[in-house]
Amino acid sequence: MAIGIVILAAGKGTRMKSNTPKVLHTISGKPMLFHSIDVAKSISDDITIILNHQAELIKERVIEVYEGIKFHIQDVANFPGTGGALRGIELADKKTLILNGDMPLLTKEALDMLLNTDADIAMSVIELEDPSGYGRVQIENDKVQKIIEEKDCTPHELNIKSVNAGIYAIKSKILNNSIPKLNNNNAQKEYYLTDIIEMGVQNGLNIVAVHGKEETFKGVNSKIDLADAEVIHQRRIKKAFMAQGVTMRLPESIYIESSVELEGECIIENGVTLLGKTKIINSHIKTNSIIEDAIISESSIGPMARIRPQSDIKRSHIGNFVEVKKSTLTGVKAGHLSYLGDSQIDEGSNIGAGVITCNYDGKAKHQTIIGKNVFVGSDSQLIAPVKIEDDVLIAAGSTITKNVKKGSLAMTRVPQKIIADFFYKFFGSKK
Ligand code: UD1
Ligand code: MG
């Protein structure tokens, strides 16, 4: 393989203040490391991830989703730092692209710019008003001279606003030669990968700085960075859907995970949350509804509806305060205040306000099957397992415990009693 990609992810991520490894924190529902892997995969299948801290946990999560990724455990005790991370790994024959596991906003276009140079080393540079936290890049007459890590900067160097984004495309031969030559004579006593620049300059190599946008190369080091990066990522997701023809009301208030699909003409109102492998086709999702791992097509949902995993809703209207879980609804109206779980409801059926499928008996979950053209009166409970055949009328306020045959009325109400003038007898007569 001509291009090999190395993703650095062995750092401790101390500034995240979390027991979860830094690179497993999510942006738009996907671990940061997976964002790096996905962009890497758009370029090459030769991918090596460098791990150390919580390596087993990270590796397990990666192999659940990806095949063919190589892992290398960095010897952090003896060779700490980004330069130490690259010791002892086998490199692809031509170029090595070095990415970080904590840069979830990287794009293929930005990486292509680094790869499309003939330079011995192409490095990414961004211009920042506030360069703090980054290595400063010393550039003289348009030529990169060296990278100085913040902790090693003189007060004068601290003012440099060109910073190292930390992404490089390097000829593998050069990397192989320079990694063993790095030393740790610096403030952090670490092997800095960044030192290969100065070394390269001394050896007369062709080093090119590729200027990129701050947004693309944003690194995540804290929970604040994580939230900021997610805002940027969310904007990208929503802009792409709007460009595709989706209407969004107040898009800044909408949250859509990266695995969600929207097809055809959809309207997504403010405050909507779409999670997991949700797929929405030609539907209208109204204010403050939340949908997770569900398929919605030709339907209107909400406002304030909750559609939970494994629901498949077609040509239906789901109104306010309706919760649906693991249910298949086709051509159904459930306008208000219902819980429909482990159910299957067919064409033309109407679910009245306050209807509950009692799917759980305290031990196991059971199915509620409702056929076509069934009218379930308000405030009824369907005690599962139960089957309601086509063309059935269930009287409001019924508790249905037995199956109901086609064409019937089912009613479990206590007959209404009228005692005339009881009110006056009880509270005393007005007269
Ligand atoms: C690094 C760069 C700095 C650049 C910045 C951009 C070095 C010496 N400095 O600094 O010039 O401006 O990135 O974000 O390279 N990692 C390992 N093993 C280690 C240490 C780190 O794999 O021993 C990984 C981390 O998991 C992370 C990446 O390398 O994904 C960068 O490490 P980090 O500690 O964030 O480096 P910075 O101090 O940000
Ligand atoms: Mg960093």
Side-chain angles (χ1 to χ4, degrees), residues 11 34 43 128 173 190 214 309 315 325 332 357 402 422:
F34 293 10
I43 289 165
L128 294 184
K173 229 191 293 169
E190 286 187 358
E214 177 186 359
R315 298 190 304 282
K325 186 217 83 171
V332 173
T357 55
K402 296 187 197 107
F422 179 86

Side-chain angles (χ1 to χ4, degrees), residues 7-12 15 22-23 50-51 74 76 79-85 99-103 133-136 147-149 163-166 168 188 190-194 217 219 221:
I7 304 176
L8 305 184
K12 264 200 167 148
R15 287 168 281 174
K22 171 157 99 170
V23 294
I50 312 294
L51 297 174
Q74 181 185 349
V76 171
F79 296 102
T82 49
L99 309 182
N100 288 346
D102 62 358
M103 285 191 181
Y134 288 87
R136 311 298 203 271
I147 302 172
I148 316 135
E149 288 308 296
V163 305
N164 170 28
Y168 323 81
Q188 301 187 80
E190 286 187 358
Y191 292 82
Y192 292 163
L193 176 60
T194 45
F217 293 98
N221 293 308

Side-chain angles (χ1 to χ4, degrees), residues 362-377:
K363 282 189 185 166
K365 305 277 167 72
H366 302 282
Q367 287 275 317
T368 300
I369 312 285
I370 300 177
K372 296 190 172 71
N373 305 316
V374 172
F375 182 90
V376 184

Side-chain angles (χ1 to χ4, degrees), residues 136-193:
R136 311 298 203 271
V137 186
Q138 201 179 72
I139 301 174
E140 281 164 21
N141 305 324
D142 283 343
K143 289 254 173 236
V144 180
Q145 299 303 315
K146 62 174 172 177
I147 302 172
I148 316 135
E149 288 308 296
E150 186 168 74
K151 291 191 175 132
D152 302 291
C153 278
T154 62
H156 176 70
E157 286 164 343
L158 282 176
N159 293 326
I160 299 176
K161 298 210 155 60
S162 302
V163 305
N164 170 28
I167 304 292
Y168 323 81
I170 308 178
K171 287 188 178 158
S172 298
K173 229 191 293 169
I174 291 166
L175 200 54
N176 265 332
N177 284 335
S178 15
I179 293 295
K181 293 185 189 139
L182 293 174
N183 63 53
N184 63 349
N185 301 332
N186 53 54
Q188 301 187 80
K189 296 276 164 277
E190 286 187 358
Y191 292 82
Y192 292 163
L193 176 60

